Amino acid sequence: MRLFIPRSLLAEQLQIVAKAVPSKSNLSMLEGILFTCDGNSMTLSATNLELGISSTFAIEQQEVGKVILPSKIVDIMRKLPGETVQLTINPENYLTEVVSGQSEFQLYGFNPEEYPSSPQISAQTVEFSFNVKVADFRRALRQTLFCVSNDERKPAFNGLLFSLQEERLTLSASDTFRLATTNCRVNKAVNAGKFLVPAKNLQEVLRIFTEEEETIHVLVSQNQILLSCRNKRITSRLLEENFPDVERVIPQEFTGRVSFDCLKFMQAVERSSLLSEAASNVVRFFISKDCLVMRTSSKYGKTQEKVSAELEGEDMEISLNSRFILEMLKISEGEKCMIELTGPNKPCIFRDSLHDDYLYLVLPIKI
Amino acid sequence: MKERVILHADMNNFYASVECLHRPEIRNNPVVVGGDEKLRHGIVLAKNYAAKATGIRTGEALWQARGKCPGLVIVPPNFPLYLRYAKLARQIYADFTHQIEPFGLDEAWLDVSGSDGVLAADRIRERIKGELGVTVSLGVSYNKIFAKLGSDLKKPDATTLISRENYRSVAWPLPVEDLLYVGSATKKKLNLYGITTIGELAAAPPSFLRRMFGKVGDVLSTFANGQDQTPVMCLDEEALVKSIGNSTTTPRDLLCDEDVKIILFVLCESVCARMREHGFFCRTVAISIRDSALFSFERQVKLETPSHISGEIADAAMRLFRQNYSWAKPIRSIGVRCSELISAAAPLQLSIFDNDTREKQATLDKTVDLLRKRFGHFCIQRASVSADQPLGGINPKGDHLIHPPGFFKEGMIK
């Protein structure tokens, strides 16, 4: 089999799937990328059995064939000198010649039949399905993913909880110290229920599905989720863990509600955190009628910042981890930010003036 | 700088002397204080001079001691009594100086700079003998190391002066293993290079010692030359605690996870009670296991949240054990150690899901501590622990009061 492909196109497509190639695997063919050419389109696939990414793109009429090439091909393609690249695959032993300009590479390929087939979700196995706008979904992921725990000892909190109900998808993430939930509109939703998706695989959605106007089709089986958008597909295993009941921990009543300018507040917190204790990032907030004072202290010294604010309700003193606040403020889109307070050692809820149904709940630090 | 005057007081045959004082009937026999053989703690903890004369050594098994000395009287240890005597002795020391650094129960350094060391030492000896009825040996010197050497030199009831004038003739001929921090391994290594006395160690080039022993090489050189400068800590300066641990050789070999669970609970309760007493949380829990073939190892795990809740520490220890032991052999002894201690008053990030339960557990633990303080350790026990009497009947917190500290407090070796 012999193929001629524009080099930059192939390089770009390889970058998309390369993230799913495991750096080390017991199955050596997994450390490669599957090339499938069916005449006028080419599909690249990679998987580490937890996450799979594939991308299909149109090419000029070519011979039909398949091969697994080592993932070195990703870097090779970036560096080759020519405009086009010629791949010549020996179907006997999968030895593949890569020629571009004056460069020649010989790669030891693998038998494509040995590659694990990507998980298929058929009409029989599908449990949920829906369509969602890329822009909506990306916004929801940005609002929640940062809150997921990386701690492997808390596997349930390594995932993002999807709750599907009619035309609404709710995403929830927590690391046990804070909780973020948001909604996005979906359509053609089939079934209602919940499932848990590993957060690190969803980072790939943010990376790959970038065309804001497009629509993502989502199919979910008992243990897999398949997200496809135009020519790209991402599959991920689901987490079989129990995510605790989120609704239960969200307080329904408040003792106070304070609102302030988001940017000014963020800058003040950033400055304060320069002198907060490194381990816990404690910033103490003193909230009164028309201003919000924050103080930090550590062995290096003390800070005080004042931000004008409007408080409805009781004065309050509360200590929070500045990292938790800054991570949320950075993704906040509205000009105004609001905190709902429930007591000095009780949760407080941050809200974004632009997204009513976004909720970011943070537990304070007990001093 | 003015020359320091440092005393090292070492109560002679402390446990045995106290026992003999309280039991006139055995005073003239060879006596050893020994652990309980049924509980497999059967070693010689202390001996009197009559027992020493027969060649009995501290640390050997009681059956060996009996073999050396027919008619040997073995008495069980009475730690609270020894503790009382140690406190009484410290009260006497306190009449001479406020700078007292206890080293175990029966030893202490005193800084009496400004007064005549030998005179003070003789007065202390008289008062201890007269008021407590036991004897003490004292070393007088200008540094802690030579003071300790001195107290070992003449026993019982004696004062030895090692001064700048005489240390070459008194301290240097002594065998090198008499020096603090020269244990059997170090001694072997030193002997290999022909260093057998403290004088020879003092003469060895520091660069050579550093190559052989690392940082400790410098320390040994300083010690042998009488150049140690470490101050005598004040009595009320609590040694900086780095970790809190308890271990026990169990009354019988442990055969299954259930046995281990009982012991781990007993140990963790003790360790956690001590952490609570000192106001600590720990971030890391370690377990050490020694099997019936005396093979031992240690494993540790970091906690999600710093804790001193007995249940949480015990769960972490049990999980660690299950991950690391496959029961190829029964277990002889087991230990739990909590490290990376932080103050319990440090700011604590609250968690969304389990605050209530944690708070309740913490309150429960505090209540148990209080009950045990008022009514004794065994007034309240976990059901799983009380189910197995020989195993559950251990009270590590009460039974093991004596923790000889390291000579170096934190940060002293740099």
Side-chain angles (χ1 to χ4, degrees):
Chain A
M1 176 175 79
R2 178 166 293 178
L3 303 167
F4 291 93
I5 307 170
R7 187 193 58 84
S8 58
L9 173 66
L10 188 54
E12 178 193 318
Q13 295 292 328
L14 280 168
Q15 293 286 350
I16 292 172
V17 301
K19 248 318 190 9
V21 180
S23 54
K24 248 201 162 74
S25 171
N26 294 333
L27 302 166
S28 48
M29 77 287 296
L30 279 192
E31 291 171 32
I33 292 169
L34 178 68
F35 287 65
T36 312
C37 181
D38 55 8
N40 46 20
S41 78
M42 165 85 109
T43 301
L44 303 177
S45 321
T47 180
N48 58 19
L49 300 180
E50 304 254 311
L51 165 73
I53 303 178
S54 71
S55 181
T56 305
F57 53 99
I59 50 173
E60 279 174 34
Q61 190 66 37
Q62 307 271 0
E63 286 176 49
V64 173
K66 277 180 166 189
V67 70
I68 302 171
L69 293 180
S71 62
K72 288 275 179 203
I73 186 78
V74 180
D75 288 335
I76 293 172
M77 210 49 65
R78 275 190 322 129
K79 305 236 155 147
L80 283 176
E83 291 282 306
T84 53
V85 59
Q86 176 195 324
L87 300 173
T88 313
I89 300 147
N90 180 346
E92 300 284 305
N93 53 11
Y94 305 103
L95 188 71
T96 302
E97 240 173 57
V98 183
V99 180
S100 177
Q102 302 294 309
S103 299
E104 283 185 38
F105 282 74
Q106 285 200 342
L107 290 172
Y108 306 122
F110 294 98
N111 180 357
E113 303 308 322
E114 288 173 14
Y115 204 77
S117 55
S118 63
Q120 299 298 321
I121 299 178
S122 67
Q124 283 81 43
T125 57
V126 67
E127 295 208 347
F128 311 102
S129 69
F130 57 89
N131 292 346
V132 61
K133 273 267 173 356
V134 170
D136 263 359
F137 195 54
R138 285 176 64 85
R139 188 252 317 146
L141 288 180
R142 273 199 308 272
Q143 286 177 328
T144 49
L145 273 182
F146 71 90
C147 194
V148 172
S149 167
N150 295 321
D151 191 338
E152 286 171 12
R153 293 166 300 182
K154 304 187 250 188
F157 297 101
N158 298 159
L160 191 65
L161 183 73
F162 285 59
S163 313
L164 188 63
Q165 200 155 36
E166 290 168 11
E167 299 296 278
R168 195 181 67 194
L169 172 69
T170 305
L171 300 184
S172 313
S174 173
D175 62 0
T176 72
F177 304 120
R178 52 203 173 134
L179 164 79
T181 76
T182 190
N183 293 331
C184 55
R185 282 177 54 82
V186 297
N187 50 52
K188 294 190 185 154
V190 175
N191 280 343
K194 294 178 179 183
F195 52 92
L196 197 58
V197 186
K200 62 171 191 274
N201 295 348
L202 290 168
Q203 295 286 2
E204 298 307 309
V205 173
L206 282 178
R207 192 175 66 87
I208 296 168
F209 295 164
T210 50
E211 295 125 325
E212 301 253 317
E213 296 310 309
E214 293 294 331
T215 300
I216 304 173
H217 306 278
V218 183
L219 292 175
V220 182
S221 72
Q222 205 207 334
N223 57 8
Q224 291 283 338
I225 179 168
L226 165 70
L227 304 114
S228 48
C229 179
R230 291 186 61 190
N231 56 348
K232 290 173 259 181
R233 286 160 47 111
I234 295 177
T235 56
S236 166
R237 179 187 54 94
L238 298 182
L239 286 173
E240 288 166 31
E241 302 285 341
N242 281 326
F243 199 85
D245 185 10
V246 173
E247 295 296 323
R248 189 176 54 84
V249 300
I250 299 173
Q252 301 301 324
E253 286 173 3
F254 313 104
T255 60
R257 173 179 295 173
V258 61
S259 59
F260 40 78
D261 181 283
C262 197
L263 186 67
K264 283 189 181 139
F265 180 66
M266 181 166 92
Q267 289 166 342
V269 175
E270 275 177 338
R271 283 191 296 271
S272 300
S273 66
L274 295 175
L275 283 193
S276 61
E277 271 315 331
S280 49
N281 306 310
V282 190
V283 179
R284 303 179 71 170
F285 294 89
F286 302 85
I287 306 164
S288 56
K289 264 285 157 284
D290 49 8
C291 98
L292 189 155
V293 176
M294 56 189 93
R295 295 195 186 120
T296 57
S297 66
S298 65
K299 62 176 179 180
Y300 302 109
K302 295 177 181 178
T303 68
Q304 172 168 320
E305 293 276 346
K306 233 180 237 182
V307 178
S308 55
E310 287 158 40
L311 170 70
E312 302 163 35
E314 301 161 22
D315 287 9
M316 168 84 75
E317 191 189 320
I318 194 165
S319 299
L320 296 167
N321 182 331
S322 61
R323 183 170 63 85
F324 290 175
I325 306 173
L326 289 173
E327 283 179 348
M328 180 269 171
L329 292 173
K330 276 177 189 150
I331 56 97
S332 165
E333 292 173 354
E335 270 179 32
K336 286 264 172 191
C337 187
M338 212 156 48
I339 311 179
E340 291 164 347
L341 302 156
T342 62
N345 280 324
K346 300 267 179 59
C348 56
I349 294 175
F350 285 71
R351 290 191 183 273
D352 183 345
S353 58
L354 210 61
H355 298 284
D356 285 346
D357 45 10
Y358 179 52
L359 170 148
Y360 181 59
L361 176 145
V362 182
L363 266 282
I365 293 169
K366 199 168 157 188
I367 298 279
Chain B
M1 203 181 82
K2 249 186 97 184
E3 184 84 314
R4 297 189 298 167
V5 181
I6 292 171
L7 309 185
H8 182 262
D10 188 349
M11 317 259 270
N12 305 125
N13 306 333
F14 182 50
Y15 296 177
S17 301
V18 173
E19 289 298 340
C20 289
L21 188 70
H22 277 251
R23 303 166 189 239
E25 70 278 12
I26 61 170
R27 222 172 265 176
N28 300 318
N29 303 30
V31 176
V32 301
V33 178
D36 191 336
E37 287 174 285
K38 278 202 205 87
L39 297 177
R40 308 198 297 178
H41 298 160
I43 59 163
V44 175
L45 297 170
K47 61 211 176 293
N48 69 358
Y49 282 102
K52 197 180 220 163
T54 64
I56 291 173
R57 297 168 57 168
T58 302
E60 71 184 357
L62 288 177
W63 59 266
Q64 286 172 312
R66 271 196 218 95
K68 287 178 184 172
C69 176
L72 180 70
V73 179
I74 300 176
V75 295
N78 181 354
F79 289 115
L81 183 68
Y82 310 149
L83 208 57
R84 194 159 74 87
Y85 271 82
K87 275 186 191 150
L88 290 171
R90 275 175 212 165
Q91 276 167 20
I92 294 175
Y93 302 153
D95 288 345
F96 293 82
T97 174
H98 70 285
Q99 265 182 290
I100 304 168
E101 181 184 341
F103 192 60
L105 261 193
D106 53 343
E107 297 179 30
W109 278 287
L110 323 175
D111 187 331
V112 295
S113 300
S115 33
D116 182 327
V118 176
L119 197 68
D122 289 341
R123 293 258 302 277
I124 289 174
R125 274 199 298 123
E126 263 167 51
R127 286 194 54 187
I128 297 259
K129 195 155 81 171
E131 294 172 30
L132 302 187
V134 295
T135 59
V136 62
S137 285
L138 283 123
V140 182
S141 188
Y142 57 94
N143 68 63
K144 281 165 79 176
I145 303 305
F146 282 177
K148 182 162 165 56
L149 268 183
S151 69
D152 281 336
L153 225 52
K154 267 182 262 164
K155 284 175 175 179
D157 194 16
T159 304
T160 308
L161 172 72
I162 302 185
S163 63
R164 284 211 190 266
E165 288 71 42
N166 73 0
Y167 74 91
R168 289 187 182 79
S169 59
V170 179
W172 280 9
L174 296 172
V176 71
E177 64 265 31
D178 284 0
L179 199 68
L180 197 62
Y181 269 68
V182 180
S184 59
T186 309
K187 177 200 162 189
K188 231 188 230 166
K189 234 170 162 179
L190 287 170
N191 287 354
L192 213 62
Y193 290 92
I195 298 173
T196 54
T197 67
I198 295 177
E200 284 161 0
L201 180 63
S207 59
F208 161 76
L209 293 174
R210 197 175 316 128
R211 218 168 35 245
M212 278 218 310
F213 300 104
K215 282 188 234 170
V216 178
D218 290 336
V219 172
L220 291 177
S221 176
T222 322
F223 280 8
N225 282 296
Q227 290 161 346
D228 176 55
Q229 291 289 338
T230 45
V232 175
M233 299 278 178
C234 286
L235 191 57
D236 47 356
E237 275 177 47
E238 223 185 280
L240 291 162
V241 183
K242 273 185 166 171
S243 69
I244 292 181
N246 266 138
S247 64
T248 186
T249 297
T250 49
R252 62 169 170 81
D253 278 348
L254 307 178
L255 302 170
C256 61
D257 280 7
E258 280 309 302
D259 287 352
V260 171
K261 198 171 171 183
I262 293 172
I263 294 295
L264 283 179
F265 261 113
V266 168
L267 291 173
C268 288
E269 279 195 345
S270 155
V271 170
C272 290
R274 287 167 56 203
M275 282 202 286
R276 289 190 291 268
E277 211 170 274
H278 292 97
F280 286 126
F281 283 133
C282 72
R283 282 186 196 279
T284 303
V285 178
I287 57 167
S288 54
I289 307 288
R290 182 194 288 263
D291 69 20
S292 56
L294 302 184
F295 171 76
S296 58
F297 65 93
E298 187 174 295
R299 292 287 179 276
Q300 64 174 45
V301 67
K302 242 191 162 82
L303 295 174
E304 275 176 35
T305 328
S307 172
H308 59 202
I309 296 171
S310 306
E312 285 184 3
I313 305 292
D315 282 347
M318 195 62 207
R319 238 177 296 137
L320 199 55
F321 173 79
R322 288 211 170 101
Q323 283 162 11
N324 288 292
Y325 205 72
S326 52
W327 287 111
K329 289 207 173 69
I331 291 172
R332 180 179 166 82
S333 85
I334 202 164
V336 173
R337 195 167 54 82
C338 289
S339 57
E340 271 196 275
L341 303 175
I342 58 167
S343 161
L348 174 73
Q349 171 67 55
L350 299 175
S351 152
I352 300 178
F353 299 101
D354 51 20
N355 285 326
D356 293 354
T357 24
R358 288 198 83 207
E359 221 153 89
K360 276 184 196 161
Q361 282 179 331
T363 315
L364 185 65
D365 278 351
K366 257 184 227 157
T367 313
V368 170
D369 288 348
L370 214 64
L371 282 171
R372 286 184 167 163
K373 211 169 179 179
R374 291 182 62 189
F375 303 112
H377 180 83
F378 295 103
C379 75
I380 180 162
Q381 274 193 294
R382 280 171 199 271
S384 61
V385 170
S386 68
D388 191 316
Q389 254 327 297
L391 290 185
I394 305 172
N395 170 14
K397 186 165 183 275
D399 289 346
H400 302 270
L401 286 164
I402 294 113
H403 305 282
F407 177 73
F408 292 105
K409 310 300 184 271
E410 185 169 24
M412 287 190 118
I413 293 192
K414 283 258 166 74

